[in-house]
Amino acid sequence: MTFDRSIKIAPSILSADFANFGEEIRAIEGQGADWVHVDVMDGHFVPNLTFGPPAVKAFRPHVTTVMDVHLMIAPVDPFIEAYAEAGADILTAHLEAGPHIHRTLQAIRAAGMKAGVALNPGTPAEAVGHLLDLVDLICVMTVNPGFGGQRFIDMTAKIRRLRAMIGDRPIHIEIDGGVDPTTAPLVVGAGADVLVAGSAVFRGGSVKNASVYGENIRAIRTAAHALGSAA
Ligand code: DX5
Ligand code: ZN
């Protein structure tokens, strides 16, 4: 994975057909997805349950781009090796998931993955000030994590602050929650480069009607570029 700040669309397979992940992943990649975003939830850190390491491992052969795994679990550390073995390219842990995020990020890199840190809406940008040399990605949650299809919470000021703090470091700013063609320009204008989108990508489409995924991805990308370049 080489680093660049071009806009990347990362569909969340939380909004895919849960009985058909292989085909769903091929469909979104065939329709222009840059990364595949995998939301791991534990029914404890967030009030919903999704995929364990065996499921993520089963997704791996279908992903030809980047498998971006977002852990919404606590604790994180006992599971890092399992997600490395499952084939995650990027493993993101929540800053709020435990008392030792610094150790967690070190362990993720030591296991051979890119390390991400995610911030809930209530967590300030400054919380990552001492972590910047340990992370490859900062995920700014624009919903309270746990479910797809929630209303976007404006975190523009936080994104701008993070962008300034990052400076020239090769760190992605990823936005997760309520991203669609209306909200994408706001976050890209503030400095984001990776846009996770679940409902806005899968809405109206299916593996049999995958061109809708393509239209949805292009609509987000076009909107993001339009205002992103004006900002
Ligand atoms: C929320 C997840 C998101 C979610 C985004 O807890 O981390 O990735 O699937 O879904 P939308 O785009 O529908 O808000
Ligand atoms: Zn996510």
Side-chain angles (χ1 to χ4, degrees):
M1 263 178 84
T2 54
F3 180 86
D4 72 67
R5 276 188 214 290
S6 63
I7 294 167
K8 288 161 281 294
I9 311 291
S12 165
I13 59 168
L14 189 61
S15 296
D17 174 358
F18 269 42
N20 204 7
F21 282 115
E23 282 192 47
E24 289 278 37
I25 290 167
R26 278 192 294 283
I28 52 173
E29 289 195 338
Q31 294 294 326
D34 298 291
W35 293 4
V36 174
H37 186 82
V38 179
D39 285 307
V40 174
M41 304 186 185
D42 68 349
H44 163 77
F45 180 69
V46 290
N48 195 3
L49 270 172
T50 58
F51 320 117
V56 175
K57 189 171 189 173
F59 304 155
R60 177 70 259 185
H62 302 283
V63 177
T64 63
T65 56
V66 170
M67 191 160 74
D68 173 34
V69 178
H70 176 193
L71 297 181
M72 287 160 275
I73 68 173
V76 172
D77 296 10
F79 299 101
I80 290 172
E81 208 42 63
Y83 284 99
E85 279 168 26
D89 295 303
I90 305 171
L91 194 67
T92 296
H94 267 264
L95 185 133
E96 306 85 2
H100 299 296
I101 186 67
H102 191 285
R103 173 186 292 153
T104 299
L105 293 167
Q106 286 180 318
I108 292 172
R109 279 191 171 170
M113 297 171 284
K114 299 281 186 192
V117 62
L119 304 181
N120 280 335
T123 303
E126 285 67 25
V128 300
H130 297 282
L131 302 172
L132 293 174
D133 293 320
L134 284 174
V135 296
D136 304 288
L137 176 148
I138 301 172
C139 175
V140 177
M141 295 303 302
T142 40
V143 296
N144 285 296
F147 303 96
Q150 302 184 81
R151 185 188 291 268
F152 177 83
I153 302 169
D154 189 352
M155 291 281 125
T156 314
K158 190 196 288 188
I159 299 164
R160 279 189 207 288
R161 179 81 190 106
L162 285 167
R163 185 67 198 86
M165 289 165 65
I166 286 169
D168 292 334
R169 294 177 180 86
I171 300 175
H172 296 291
I173 299 182
E174 175 177 78
I175 308 303
D176 191 358
V179 173
D180 63 19
T182 308
T183 56
L186 301 174
V187 298
V188 169
D193 62 305
V194 184
L195 305 180
V196 175
S199 38
V201 166
F202 285 90
R203 181 180 297 144
S206 69
V207 293
K208 298 218 162 29
N209 192 13
S211 61
V212 174
Y213 297 162
E215 287 161 23
N216 290 342
I217 290 169
R218 276 192 298 281
I220 297 168
R221 201 188 299 280
T222 302
H225 274 118
L227 211 108
S229 56

